[in-house]
Amino acid sequence: KYVRRICNMEPVSFAQPEESVAVGAALQCAMKERKEQVEEVVLTDVCPFTLGTSVIRDNGSFEIPGVYLPIIERNTVIPVSRKQIVYTAHDNQKYVDVNILQGECRIADNNILLG
């Protein structure tokens, strides 16, 4: 229904959803058991969306609030570890709110707040 709504056309699919899930589960089991038949199969999990946080950008003349700072780019193989150094917006700042966002827009409010 989602694909139909987004693309405004009927999707064509020859795969049966239940069969696809069963084949995927069977492949995962075979890989965990290190079966010889699936030695060359490589399955990776990826982060489907960019994850980041909202920051205040200082361009030298004025501050721009609500800028999205990507930290983990979409399609990054997981598990993954990233470090990003950010600083407080003002001297002697007492606390910092860190919002974890998911999305692709460079405007933080246009992304999904995860926590």
Side-chain angles (χ1 to χ4, degrees):
K1 289 179 185 177
Y2 180 74
V3 172
R4 184 182 308 119
R5 185 170 46 98
I6 296 297
C7 298
N8 200 22
M9 61 189 312
E10 192 66 29
V12 178
S13 174
F14 300 104
Q16 298 296 323
E18 293 85 3
E19 183 181 346
S20 298
V21 171
V23 169
L27 276 172
Q28 287 283 359
C29 289
M31 290 176 69
K32 286 191 180 285
E33 292 182 357
R34 304 201 189 285
K35 295 287 186 182
E36 191 176 307
Q37 297 88 337
V38 293
E39 277 184 355
E40 295 183 21
V41 175
V42 177
L43 295 177
T44 58
D45 287 329
V46 296
C47 186
F49 299 100
T50 299
L51 301 175
T53 190
S54 176
V55 296
I56 297 173
R57 178 88 20 121
D58 186 354
N59 73 356
S61 301
F62 56 92
E63 293 177 343
I64 305 168
V67 176
Y68 183 55
L69 175 66
I71 297 175
I72 298 175
E73 297 292 336
R74 72 172 175 227
N75 295 328
T76 299
V77 176
I78 53 177
V80 64
S81 176
R82 293 280 193 276
K83 290 182 182 181
Q84 181 70 44
I85 297 174
V86 294
Y87 300 95
T88 56
H90 307 285
D91 292 339
N92 302 315
Q93 190 170 329
K94 299 287 184 201
Y95 66 92
V96 176
D97 284 330
V98 178
N99 295 320
I100 306 303
L101 303 168
Q102 166 187 297
E104 308 304 322
C105 186
R106 297 301 177 201
I107 300 170
D109 287 343
N110 293 346
N111 294 303
I112 298 170
L113 177 65
L114 296 179

